[in-house]
Amino acid sequence: MIDLHLIGIGTGNPDHLTMAAIRAMNGADLILLPRKGGEGDGRSDLVDLRRVLCGAVLTRPVRVVEFDLPARAAEGPYIEAVRDWHAAIAAAWRAEIDAHLPRGGKLALLVWGDPSLYDSTLRIAARLQREGLDLRTHVVPGISSVQLLTAAHAIPLNTLASSVTITTGRRLRERGWPDGADTLVVMLDGGCAFETLPPEGIEIWWGAFLGLPQEALVSGALAEAGPRIAPLRAMLREKHGWIMDIYLLRRPAGSRP
């Protein structure tokens, strides 16, 4: 039996870890750290942050093993590419489990933000169960980037008695502002999908590298703040080799963007 603990870690700041997360990490027999991009690639910062977390909170000897995360195909239908990518990640997990926990035990994976919100580790775990792996999944919730964004800007997520829609940059770009939504939280935006919206009457609160020393924040009317965000985002991506950002868009209830 593999007891898989998916541990939400916020954006990599040790202060974001809950006591439950720290207990789960220290209770593990094995912690797997995925590497995305090579050493010298800015994306190696992502595994560096996980290494820092392990060094900061582990109080007993826990085996920590790094493995190369398969890359997602850049071409072809998006959903099909993601499914193939998940299959490749599941195979990589299985190989590490077979190599390091052949008789079972407690495995921990450190998940950005919270495992329930725009993250696929739960789906990959379910795939391994369907494939016959004797696996039981436990989730340790983490601070999400949504919470970090609203905290950084000191704003509530919702306005009084109004709705909130959490979506992706891809869907915003393809479908525009969702009907009936007053507040949008946009995640996984590879660019600046807000630029596709008519900006009149919309406000934006944007943040990158939330909770980390390189945190950057911009807010204001979309017509004024949007043109500042795009070059800043490009500069930060070039400087660090990667970027994690999120933004909240809001319009008055009942108005049309």
Side-chain angles (χ1 to χ4, degrees), residues 127-174:
R127 175 187 287 268
L128 287 172
Q129 288 174 316
R130 291 194 302 270
E131 292 174 356
L133 181 64
D134 189 10
L135 180 147
R136 180 169 53 196
T137 302
H138 312 266
V139 175
V140 180
I143 297 175
S144 71
S145 57
V146 179
Q147 294 165 289
L148 291 167
L149 177 71
T150 56
H153 285 286
I155 58 171
L157 176 60
N158 63 294
T159 55
L160 186 62
S162 67
S163 63
V164 175
T165 298
I166 299 177
T167 189
T168 66
R170 179 185 298 271
R171 291 183 68 88
L172 182 64
R173 187 175 289 108
E174 292 176 351

Side-chain angles (χ1 to χ4, degrees), residues 13 22 26 52 54-55 63 67 72 95 118 123 139 152 163 166 168 172 178 181 192-193 195 199 219-220:
N13 184 330
I22 293 171
N26 279 283
V52 168
C54 290
R63 188 170 192 185
F67 70 102
R72 192 184 77 204
Y118 280 112
R123 296 183 186 90
V139 175
S163 63
I166 299 177
T168 66
L172 182 64
C192 292
E195 292 179 325
S219 64

Side-chain angles (χ1 to χ4, degrees), residues 3-257:
D3 272 310
L4 173 63
H5 294 259
L6 302 179
I7 303 171
I9 61 170
T11 58
N13 184 330
D15 291 342
H16 296 170
L17 292 179
T18 64
M19 294 183 69
I22 293 171
R23 282 196 301 270
M25 290 173 67
N26 279 283
D29 300 308
L30 173 69
I31 298 175
L32 288 179
L33 303 185
R35 291 188 297 255
K36 183 178 181 181
E39 295 297 331
D41 185 320
R43 290 175 296 178
S44 66
D45 287 354
L46 299 176
V47 73
D48 288 342
L49 289 170
R50 286 183 168 103
R51 292 174 186 143
V52 168
L53 290 180
C54 290
V57 306
L58 291 180
T59 57
R60 57 173 289 272
V62 176
R63 188 170 192 185
V64 179
V65 173
E66 299 180 13
F67 70 102
D68 293 323
L69 189 70
R72 192 184 77 204
E75 299 179 355
Y78 174 72
I79 296 297
E80 183 178 330
V82 169
R83 287 173 178 158
D84 290 344
W85 183 43
H86 289 175
I89 294 174
W93 286 13
R94 185 63 182 261
E96 298 301 326
I97 290 169
D98 290 345
H100 303 292
L101 288 177
R103 297 179 180 85
K106 295 180 180 179
L107 168 64
L109 285 164
L110 309 183
V111 179
W112 297 115
D114 181 89
S116 71
L117 184 58
Y118 280 112
D119 183 84
S120 292
T121 48
L122 282 164
R123 296 183 186 90
I124 295 166
R127 175 187 287 268
L128 287 172
Q129 288 174 316
R130 291 194 302 270
E131 292 174 356
L133 181 64
D134 189 10
L135 180 147
R136 180 169 53 196
T137 302
H138 312 266
V139 175
V140 180
I143 297 175
S144 71
S145 57
V146 179
Q147 294 165 289
L148 291 167
L149 177 71
T150 56
H153 285 286
I155 58 171
L157 176 60
N158 63 294
T159 55
L160 186 62
S162 67
S163 63
V164 175
T165 298
I166 299 177
T167 189
T168 66
R170 179 185 298 271
R171 291 183 68 88
L172 182 64
R173 187 175 289 108
E174 292 176 351
R175 304 190 181 189
W177 192 284
D179 290 340
D182 301 312
T183 296
L184 297 184
V185 176
V186 183
M187 304 178 68
L188 303 178
D189 189 354
C192 292
F194 56 78
E195 292 179 325
T196 64
L197 298 173
E200 292 78 14
I202 300 176
E203 291 186 275
I204 187 169
W205 291 263
W206 174 87
F209 301 109
L210 291 166
L212 300 176
Q214 60 268 46
E215 179 179 274
L217 302 172
V218 176
S219 64
L222 182 59
E224 183 275 330
R228 291 193 286 125
I229 293 169
L232 174 59
R233 186 184 191 280
M235 183 275 290
L236 291 170
R237 186 182 183 92
E238 176 69 21
K239 179 178 179 180
H240 299 289
W242 62 284
I243 191 166
M244 285 188 177
D245 65 331
I246 181 174
Y247 53 92
L248 184 151
L249 300 168
R250 182 168 286 152
R251 62 181 174 87
S255 67
R256 296 294 179 189

